[in-house]
Amino acid sequence: MLAGFLGGLGYAVLAPPAYTATAFVMVVDDVQGRPGPAAVGFAQAFGRLAPLPETLAYSTLPLPPEPAGSTREHIQASTSPDTPLIKLAGIGGTAREAAAFANAAADALVRYGTSHRSDTGVRVTLMTLAEPPARPSSPNLPLGVTVGTASGILLAGLTAAVMSGRRGRTGRRGKGRVSGAAATDPVPTDPVPTGPVPTGRVEAGT
């Protein structure tokens, strides 16, 4: 328990902070001008395309400098099966970096949807831009300590169960050896007399 508590506390204190900012875009039917079944289906598709470098290339907003191929670690898209709303979460080491990732993804998705508007029959509109968050989303000190302590309790319980099982097996083996030794001991018998055996007769006059 103590090791788990200290591990969770150490992670919460020493892990580098990460910030999360969120932007929203919506897909609407180009003809009706409102969400519809087709818009919901295209929102699912656009959500899967949002973190791809090919889609992000449509953005006019600069992405923070990051190694190539790491955009999926900094941009996450989520959709709903009922509404054509796409949530774009930007994750960065600073608040401004997180907002820059989210806004670049939103701008790219709007422009990508516009370029394919004649093919899809829907358009992507910007709902809200992301604002730099006031505090980091991780690490979370209470959550880290709680998870670490719970892990320590779980490991302590498993260790106690294993040790208890080993002691039980050792005890049964010891009893088995004692019982076997007792079963092989010779059974004591009464000594047989070696002198003359009395006949039980009484001579007359004696």
Side-chain angles (χ1 to χ4, degrees):
M1 290 175 60
L2 181 60
F5 172 80
L6 294 177
L9 179 62
Y11 172 79
V13 172
L14 300 178
Y19 293 81
T20 302
T22 305
F24 291 91
V25 298
M26 177 175 283
V27 181
V28 297
D29 191 288
D30 196 19
V31 177
Q32 298 178 357
R34 64 177 185 272
V40 174
F42 276 107
Q44 305 290 326
F46 285 143
R48 289 190 290 269
L49 296 174
L52 299 180
E54 295 80 2
T55 307
L56 294 173
Y58 283 82
S59 176
T60 58
L61 301 178
L63 284 168
E66 291 293 333
S70 64
T71 53
R72 286 185 176 273
E73 300 177 4
H74 298 279
I75 298 174
Q76 297 178 355
S78 57
T79 58
S80 170
D82 303 321
T83 59
L85 191 66
I86 304 174
K87 175 183 176 182
L88 299 168
I91 303 170
T94 64
R96 290 185 177 275
E97 188 177 273
F101 275 116
N103 290 333
D107 182 66
L109 203 56
V110 170
R111 294 181 180 277
Y112 178 84
T114 301
S115 66
H116 293 80
R117 185 173 178 178
S118 59
D119 301 323
T120 61
V122 297
R123 55 190 174 90
V124 183
T125 61
L126 179 66
M127 293 289 293
T128 58
L129 286 173
E131 294 291 338
R135 59 180 61 87
S137 55
S138 67
N140 188 311
L141 180 59
L143 180 61
V145 172
T146 301
V147 172
T149 304
S151 301
I153 294 173
L154 177 61
L155 292 176
L158 293 175
T159 303
V162 171
M163 297 301 295
S164 176
R166 289 180 178 177
R167 286 196 297 267
R169 288 194 297 270
T170 303
R172 288 194 295 272
R173 289 173 184 172
K175 290 181 180 179
R177 286 195 293 269
V178 172
S179 300
T184 56
D185 286 344
V187 179
T189 58
D190 294 334
V192 179
T194 58
V197 179
T199 61
R201 296 178 180 177
V202 179
E203 298 292 339
T206 60

